């Protein structure tokens, strides 16, 4: 007898439908799984057998063959357990094929017959084109986020058998309480003084420009970075679904609520390459960069990250996507982030201050070498963050509220949309030249900067983009003036490169 | 070793090339009745059994141990032996005399007169350039490597000003104050009657350290003289800098410390000067300025106040600035610079004193918005009135208090 049960696997951030075909027939008793299962998937054999027996059903003493179709894709993980168990029961005629027709099954089996959740419930359910989906109780709230299928939460295999054989109705479980996301976005009003970095954050949000903050320890770089998501536009339904799907694929529970605010991820500098960019196993779990998709990736102490890890960030930052390839398949992990990085200007903490920095030349040179070149070049904004002066902290007027800033940011994004891009950071080459002309005075000033070596040709494009975002924020129309250009230049210091090096 | 008895200079050069042999050890070797015999003991691997050399062997052994390398005196002595065998004294002497360089041994003709009476005179000095410069009046200008723009400007103007009255400038060719003082002097392009640069370096004469001063290194050789007690080819190890500082103090009629942190190397130079009865001058700074913490301490401890070149000239008995060559003493203030444009630029310039400020500090103190402040900074930078170094903005002052020098020097 043959049975077909729909299920799914997740690779990267996408679900892929898998049909579990089970044949029970004469031959040497045992269970064989074919169709490119990996080790964790092959272990299903023992889990399924124990779970079936624990559910009070006699295990067929026959030759059982499980084929996972399509056989071209590597099957990984334990999420097919439940589908395999159901397939065996149908093929052995313990359950009627009609009773489970049109139902997809997702979940791992415990040896005691319990049904456990697996990572990636959102993409998994999304991949199943079924009217009903049976999922573990814990995964039900997240599964319900996918529009379409009717979700049936189960706690044990026994419940599935009872319902499918008509002995009992499908169970009605109390679902885990939906914890609505009360992400209290931190307010920019708490940042007193520090006009330059406040503007830099606003510009980064409005133009999706990458931002490097340079300052000594204790200058509040983390506190500043954590306020960036609060001034970014919220995620629309499509973006929210995409971001939620990524988090689900990474095994993070969504508690039944879509992620509607731009995420902030702040991996530690000891994070491995896999933890950061993803991949690793055949499941190709998304890493921190993908988890920050649609939001902010904050790398504190940038100079402490391993050079290999930083190097691996360059391509994703450029293309907004990470491509991971294995022998048989490849995956695309979304990675469109605003990168905010922070670092000390020099090891002694005096920030290279003339007359105060105690760093020997050799140490400074080594410190700068670690970060030189291509990665630093990704930052449109490079701003110095010094310890706020006491008077600014105490007496200084509170900054503008995030809400007010966010309104300007949203307007600037609209201006970018009118140019056919998501944000100004996406403008390049001739398109950038077309949308961001300079007036005569600005042109003269930039020419002077280029001539004096204060600006490089590549830096010019970045200054141009930032100037355009500044103009958008100010509601300015027409050619960019010297006012915007000089502000953009001020927000692009040669902090790390030292004196006399073009920005 | 060659059969012919090597000269004292040749023996001392080989001994000075042994790792761990410093000025004190070399001076003792120089005083030994038979330095060649000492070298013979080194060659036979018994340096650690020689009373004069034993402390140097032990010290080097301890350094090795601290660095996690072999820590046995006999091994160090064996290493010395291998090195000494490989070095031919006559060839070493020839090598150090090639390419216009000279070798001077304490007590022999040609050795710098000023150093013979030194408490710890170098047993061996290598020179390149015109050694006769040492006979004239000299002032040392020293200070921190990481100097402020104002400090470097003052050092440069002092260097040039001293040169104009025929006083040569002794310095260490380090980044910051040292380099600025010599650069100022070189840039003044004085005739032969002017003061000249005297560079005392911690590396071998053939190594420009820091490499950024390669050109200045050449200019000092060309227009003045470069001195070192380090053999050719050796990079400066940490202990060589304080040793070098004592030579700077020993060669100067007065030492001027322009900027120094509380524990900077120039404070050590000032100490060496005090030990040699050489007057110490220090440029005062704001109490909160880290770059002036050391010089303010010196003044509190009795150093002479150096507000401008006049103070320095008075200290060396040349008050009144006679015999000015190549232009007046205080020349070069604010020349060719356009004035600030509009109230914003004036406000920014007003808050930029000697201390460097970062963008947010400039904005807060000048009371300007980011856009207005950026515009003003851009204008001032284009006019050359301010300079951006890393995150820091500095005013490009030529002199902290223009006017006084020119008035008194009787232009
Ligand atoms: Zn430092």
């Amino acid at each position: 007898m043959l049975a077909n049960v729909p299920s799914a696997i997740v690779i990267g951030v996408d679900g892929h439908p898998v049909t579990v075909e089970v044949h029970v027939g004469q031959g040497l008793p045992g269970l064989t799984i074919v169709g490119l299962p990996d080790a964790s998937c092959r272990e299903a054999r023992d889990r399924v057998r124990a779970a079936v027996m624990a559910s009070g059903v006699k295990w067929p003493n026959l030759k059982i063959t499980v084929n996972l179709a399509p056989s071209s894709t590597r099957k990984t993980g334990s999420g097919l357990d439940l589908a395999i168990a159901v397939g065996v029961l149908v093929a052995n005629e313990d359950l009627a094929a009609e009773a489970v027709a049109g139902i997809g099954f997702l979940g791992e089996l415990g040896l005691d017959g319990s049904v456990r959740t697996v990572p990636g419930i959102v993409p998994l359910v999304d991949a199943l084109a079924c009217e009903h989906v049976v999922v573990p109780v814990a995964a039900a709230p997240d599964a319900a986020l996918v529009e379409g299928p009717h979700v049936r939460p189960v706690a044990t295999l026994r419940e599935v058998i009872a319902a499918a054989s008509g002995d009992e109705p499908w169970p009605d479980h109390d679902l885990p309480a939906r914890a609505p996301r009360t992400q209290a976005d931190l307010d920019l009003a708490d940042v007193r003084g520090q006009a330059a970095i406040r503007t830099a954050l606003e510009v980064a949000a409005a133009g999706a420009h990458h931002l490097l903050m340079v300052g000594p320890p204790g200058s509040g770089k983390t506190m500043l970075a954590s306020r960036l998501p609060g001034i970014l536009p919220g995620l629309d339904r499509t973006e929210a679904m995409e971001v939620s799907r990524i988090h689900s694929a990474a095994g993070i529970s969504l508690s039944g609520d879509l992620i509607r605010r731009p995420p902030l991820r702040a991996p530690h500098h000891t994070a491995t390459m896999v933890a950061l960019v993803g991949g690793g196993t055949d499941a190709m779990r998304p890493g921190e960069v993908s988890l920050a998709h649609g939001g902010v990736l904050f790398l504190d102490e940038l100079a402490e990250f391993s050079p290999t890890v930083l190097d691996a960030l360059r391509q994703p930052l450029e293309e907004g996507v990470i491509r991971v390839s294995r022998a048989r398949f490849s995956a695309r992990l979304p990675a469109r982030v605003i990168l905010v990085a922070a670092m000390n200007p020099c090891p002694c903490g005096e920030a290279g201050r003339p007359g105060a920095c105690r760093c020997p030349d050799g140490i400074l040179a080594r410190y700068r070498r670690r970060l030189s070149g291509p990665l630093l070049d990704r930052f449109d904004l490079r701003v110095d963050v010094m310890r706020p002066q006491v008077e600014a902290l105490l007496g200084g007027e509170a900054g503008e509220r995030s809400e007010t800033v966010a309104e300007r940011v949203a307007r600037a994004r609209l201006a970018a949309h009118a140019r056919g891009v998501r944000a100004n950071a996406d403008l390049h080459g001739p398109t950038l030249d077309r949308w961001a002309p300079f007036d005569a005075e600005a042109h003269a000033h930039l020419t002077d900067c280029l001539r004096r070596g204060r600006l490089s040709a590549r830096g010019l494009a970045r200054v141009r983009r930032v100037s355009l975002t500044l103009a958008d924020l100010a509601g300015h129309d027409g050619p960019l003036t010297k006012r915007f250009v000089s502000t953009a230049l001020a927000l692009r210091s040669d902090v790390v490169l030292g004196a006399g090096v073009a920005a | 070793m060659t059969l012919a008895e090597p000269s004292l200079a040749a023996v001392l050069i080989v001994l000075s090339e042994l790792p761990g042999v410093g000025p004190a050890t070399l001076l003792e070797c120089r005083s030994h009745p038979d330095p060649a015999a000492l070298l013979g003991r080194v060659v036979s691997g018994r340096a650690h059994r020689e009373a004069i050399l034993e402390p140097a062997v032990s010290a080097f052994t301890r350094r090795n141990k601290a660095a996690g390398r072999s820590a046995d005196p006999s091994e160090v002595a064996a290493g010395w032996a291998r090195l000494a065998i490989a070095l031919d004294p006559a060839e070493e002497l020839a090598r150090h005399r090639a390419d216009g360089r000279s070798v001077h041994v304490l007590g022999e003709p040609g050795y710098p007169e000023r150093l013979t009476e030194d408490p710890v005179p170098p047993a061996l000095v290598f020179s390149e350039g015109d050694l006769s410069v040492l006979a004239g009046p000299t002032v040392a200008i020293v200070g921190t490597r990481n100097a402020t723009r104002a400090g470097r400007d003052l050092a440069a103007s002092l260097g040039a000003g001293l040169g104009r009255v025929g006083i040569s400038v002794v310095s260490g060719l380090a980044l910051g104050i040292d380099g600025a003082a010599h650069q100022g002097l070189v840039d003044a392009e004085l005739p032969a009657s002017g003061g000249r640069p005297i560079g005392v370096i911690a590396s071998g004469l053939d190594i420009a350290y820091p490499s950024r001063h390669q050109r200045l290194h050449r200019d000092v050789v060309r227009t003045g003289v470069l001195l070192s007690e380090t053999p050719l080819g050796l990079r400066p190890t940490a202990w060589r800098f304080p040793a070098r500082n004592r030579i700077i103090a020993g060669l100067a009629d007065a030492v001027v410390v322009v900027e120094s942190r509380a524990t900077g190397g120039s404070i050590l130079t000032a100490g060496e000067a005090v030990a040699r009865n050489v007057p110490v001058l220090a440029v005062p700074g704001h109490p909160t300025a880290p770059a002036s913490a050391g010089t303010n301490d010196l003044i509190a401890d009795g150093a002479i106040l150096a507000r401008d070149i006049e103070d320095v000239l008075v200290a060396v008995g040349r008050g009144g600035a006679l015999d000015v060559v190549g232009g007046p003493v205080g020349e070069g203030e604010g020349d060719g610079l356009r004035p600030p444009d509009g109230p914003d630029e004036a406000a920014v310039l007003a808050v930029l004193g000697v201390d460097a400020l970062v963008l947010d500090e400039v904005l807060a103190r000048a009371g300007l918005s980011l856009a207005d402040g950026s515009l003003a900074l851009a204008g001032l930078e284009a006019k050359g009135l301010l300079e951006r170094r890393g995150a820091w903005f500095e005013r490009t002052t030529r002199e902290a208090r223009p006017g006084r020098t020119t008035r008194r020097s009787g232009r």
Side-chain angles (χ1 to χ4, degrees):
Chain A
M1 176 73 193
L2 190 71
N4 286 312
V5 182
S7 188
I9 55 165
V10 62
I11 298 173
V13 298
D14 296 314
H16 296 266
V18 169
T19 304
V20 178
E21 301 170 353
V22 185
H23 180 263
V24 175
Q26 296 303 318
L28 224 48
L31 190 154
T32 317
I33 301 178
V34 298
L36 221 57
D38 76 349
S40 63
C41 192
R42 205 172 291 119
E43 285 164 5
R45 202 164 42 188
D46 303 321
R47 287 191 300 267
V48 168
R49 186 166 186 269
V52 166
M53 285 162 49
S55 306
V57 178
K58 190 172 169 296
W59 183 257
N61 198 25
L62 294 163
K63 177 176 167 61
I64 306 168
T65 309
V66 176
N67 180 39
L68 307 175
S71 57
S72 58
T73 318
R74 186 108 176 136
K75 317 302 181 309
T76 176
S78 50
L80 299 172
D81 286 6
L82 182 58
I84 294 173
V86 170
V88 169
L89 294 173
V90 171
N92 198 40
E93 297 178 7
D94 292 314
L95 289 177
E98 308 78 59
V100 295
I103 306 179
F105 291 88
L106 298 168
E108 176 189 306
L109 288 176
L111 299 179
D112 58 354
S114 58
V115 178
R116 297 168 182 171
T117 190
V118 288
I121 274 299
V122 172
L124 286 170
V125 173
D126 206 15
L128 280 170
C130 297
E131 207 175 316
H132 299 274
V133 189
V134 175
V135 299
V137 173
D142 288 3
L145 291 171
V146 180
E147 283 174 358
H150 187 253
V151 175
R152 295 203 155 134
V154 295
T156 62
L157 179 59
R158 191 187 285 268
E159 288 176 0
V160 176
I161 297 169
S165 42
D167 295 347
E168 285 169 32
W170 284 99
D172 190 12
H173 284 285
D174 287 338
L175 297 184
R178 250 182 69 168
R181 218 170 295 276
T182 49
Q183 181 186 348
D185 275 330
L186 302 159
D187 205 296
L188 210 52
D190 307 335
V191 184
R192 286 162 191 265
Q194 312 206 61
I197 184 61
R198 286 181 57 97
T199 307
L201 285 170
E202 180 174 339
V203 170
H209 304 285
H210 301 314
L211 164 66
L212 177 64
M213 294 188 284
V214 182
S219 49
K221 289 169 287 189
T222 305
M223 171 261 207
L224 290 162
S226 57
R227 277 158 176 77
L228 181 52
I231 55 173
L232 282 170
L235 305 174
D236 65 24
R237 166 79 199 177
T238 318
E239 291 167 332
M241 195 62 210
E242 188 180 22
V243 169
S244 303
R245 172 202 296 273
I246 297 167
H247 284 243
S248 176
I252 298 169
S253 168
L254 304 172
S255 305
D257 205 1
L258 283 184
I259 298 173
R260 293 166 205 277
R261 293 292 310 158
L264 170 78
R265 301 294 297 190
H268 193 252
H269 61 76
T270 52
T272 61
M273 175 89 101
V274 166
L276 214 64
V277 300
T281 66
D282 282 331
M284 304 207 256
R285 268 310 157 73
E288 289 289 340
V289 183
S290 295
L291 289 172
H293 176 74
V296 177
L297 178 67
F298 177 50
L299 303 182
D300 200 1
E301 301 189 58
L302 187 67
E304 301 297 321
F305 281 81
S306 101
T308 2
V309 166
L310 294 181
D311 212 47
L313 281 178
R314 275 165 47 195
Q315 178 259 334
L317 287 180
E318 190 116 309
E319 301 176 22
V321 65
I322 300 168
R323 293 173 216 285
V324 201
S325 295
R326 292 288 177 278
R328 284 178 181 270
F329 50 85
S330 60
R332 297 172 85 253
L333 304 174
R336 192 166 41 67
V337 302
I338 297 178
L339 174 63
V340 178
M343 59 178 286
N344 293 330
C346 72
C348 85
E350 280 290 350
R353 180 174 175 191
C357 172
R358 295 179 299 273
C359 298
D361 294 340
I363 289 185
L364 270 186
R366 206 173 327 133
Y367 193 74
R368 285 166 184 164
R369 254 200 314 277
R370 293 198 66 168
L371 286 168
S372 63
L375 182 69
L376 277 185
D377 200 54
R378 296 285 177 276
F379 294 98
D380 284 354
L381 299 160
R382 298 199 296 239
V383 180
D384 316 302
V385 187
M386 295 302 145
R387 281 189 201 88
Q389 293 156 303
V390 177
E391 62 261 38
L393 277 179
L394 299 178
E397 48 191 292
E400 263 180 311
R401 296 183 45 77
S402 287
E403 212 183 322
T404 320
V405 178
E407 281 169 22
R408 277 199 303 271
V409 168
R411 270 205 310 276
R413 286 287 179 114
L414 285 179
H417 293 166
R419 300 177 188 117
V421 290
R422 175 187 54 98
N424 289 341
D426 297 342
L427 289 171
H428 298 276
T431 330
L432 174 62
D433 298 350
R434 181 157 64 94
W435 289 114
F438 296 119
D439 75 4
E441 199 190 6
H443 192 273
H445 180 57
L446 285 167
T447 311
D448 186 48
C449 287
L450 284 163
R451 191 177 47 70
R452 282 187 293 121
R454 267 291 285 125
L455 188 64
S456 68
R458 257 190 321 204
L460 178 62
R462 302 197 170 266
V463 166
R464 192 170 209 153
R465 270 194 288 276
V466 171
S467 304
L468 183 61
T469 303
L470 284 162
D472 289 347
L473 284 166
H476 170 92
D477 231 358
L480 300 169
T481 62
K482 186 178 174 190
R483 188 178 179 80
F484 297 116
V485 167
S486 57
T487 308
L489 279 166
L491 295 177
R492 186 179 168 74
S493 97
D494 51 354
V495 274
V496 206
L497 306 175
V501 180
Chain B
M1 201 177 299
T2 48
L3 290 172
E5 187 69 6
S7 68
L8 177 57
V11 168
L12 290 178
I13 290 174
V14 173
L15 287 171
S16 72
E17 289 185 76
L18 301 173
V21 172
T25 305
L26 202 64
L27 191 58
E28 290 207 45
C29 292
R30 157 72 189 72
S31 317
H32 191 273
D34 190 357
L38 276 179
L39 182 54
R41 302 280 284 172
V42 171
V43 167
S44 57
R46 288 196 299 245
H48 59 305
R49 305 228 180 278
E50 194 62 47
I52 288 180
L53 298 172
E54 192 279 328
V57 174
S58 299
F60 192 63
T61 308
R62 281 195 299 276
R63 284 225 303 274
N64 271 354
K65 194 173 179 179
R69 289 193 294 266
S70 76
D72 185 50
S74 64
E75 280 176 52
V76 168
W80 280 18
R82 281 193 297 278
L83 184 58
I85 290 167
L87 297 172
D88 180 273
E91 274 177 28
E92 285 307 292
L93 180 59
R95 185 165 74 97
H96 282 82
R97 276 179 177 162
D99 299 327
R101 302 191 179 108
S102 309
V103 180
H104 317 280
V105 177
L106 175 64
E108 293 188 351
Y111 185 86
E113 189 69 34
R114 284 177 182 268
L115 293 175
T116 49
E117 300 299 315
D118 200 88
V120 195
L124 198 59
V125 181
F126 306 103
S127 75
E128 187 173 357
D130 180 5
L131 203 65
S132 73
V133 173
L134 297 184
T138 57
V139 166
I141 301 176
V142 296
T144 181
R145 282 156 219 263
N146 179 22
T148 66
R149 171 70 199 226
R152 285 179 288 141
D153 287 344
L154 181 64
S157 108
L158 285 178
L162 288 168
R164 287 195 181 94
V165 295
I167 297 177
S168 293
V169 175
V170 189
S171 197
L173 277 160
L175 291 178
I177 299 297
D178 285 23
H182 272 163
Q183 195 65 58
L185 176 55
V186 168
D187 288 348
E189 292 180 1
L190 301 174
S193 56
R196 313 234 231 121
I198 300 168
V200 187
I201 59 177
S203 57
L205 290 175
D206 56 340
I207 292 178
Y209 178 91
S211 55
R212 232 188 290 172
H213 278 169
Q214 213 134 30
R215 193 201 172 110
L216 183 60
H217 196 94
R218 279 199 303 274
D219 286 341
V220 168
V221 169
R222 183 173 54 79
T223 59
V225 65
L226 198 61
L227 299 168
S228 175
E229 56 178 337
T230 306
L232 290 181
L234 294 191
R235 295 188 58 76
T237 35
W239 62 266
R240 288 196 183 272
F241 290 102
R244 181 271 312 266
N245 292 347
R246 90 187 192 285
I247 301 181
I248 291 179
L251 288 176
D253 297 331
V255 171
V256 183
V257 184
V258 175
E259 275 185 348
S260 174
R261 290 189 311 278
T263 55
S266 1
I267 300 300
L268 300 178
T269 310
E272 299 283 0
V274 169
R276 286 164 176 77
N277 277 325
V278 172
V280 174
L281 293 93
V283 175
H286 193 273
T288 59
S292 297
T295 51
N296 286 343
D297 287 351
L298 285 175
I299 292 165
D301 292 345
I304 301 162
L305 199 62
R307 292 163 294 181
D308 55 23
I309 190 164
E310 189 69 20
D311 286 339
V312 180
L313 293 177
V314 166
V316 292
R318 295 284 300 277
L322 307 163
D323 314 323
V324 173
V325 295
V329 181
E331 194 207 58
E333 293 138 48
D335 44 353
L337 295 181
R338 282 178 285 157
D341 222 359
D344 289 356
E345 288 190 10
V348 168
L349 214 49
V351 300
L352 280 173
V354 173
D355 268 349
L357 298 179
V358 291
L359 180 59
D360 267 334
E361 288 172 326
V362 173
L363 298 179
R365 294 188 190 182
L368 294 174
S369 71
L370 175 64
D372 292 336
S374 304
L375 213 49
L377 287 166
L380 290 170
E381 203 183 342
K383 293 185 188 71
L385 288 169
L386 81 84
E387 190 180 70
R388 189 168 175 173
R389 191 148 62 114
W392 302 89
F393 292 94
E394 287 184 286
R395 191 174 168 165
T396 55
T397 42
R398 290 279 185 247
E399 184 101 32
R401 297 177 307 141
R404 179 167 178 256
T405 306
T406 39
R407 203 164 49 242
R408 280 219 255 145
S409 61
R411 193 195 298 217

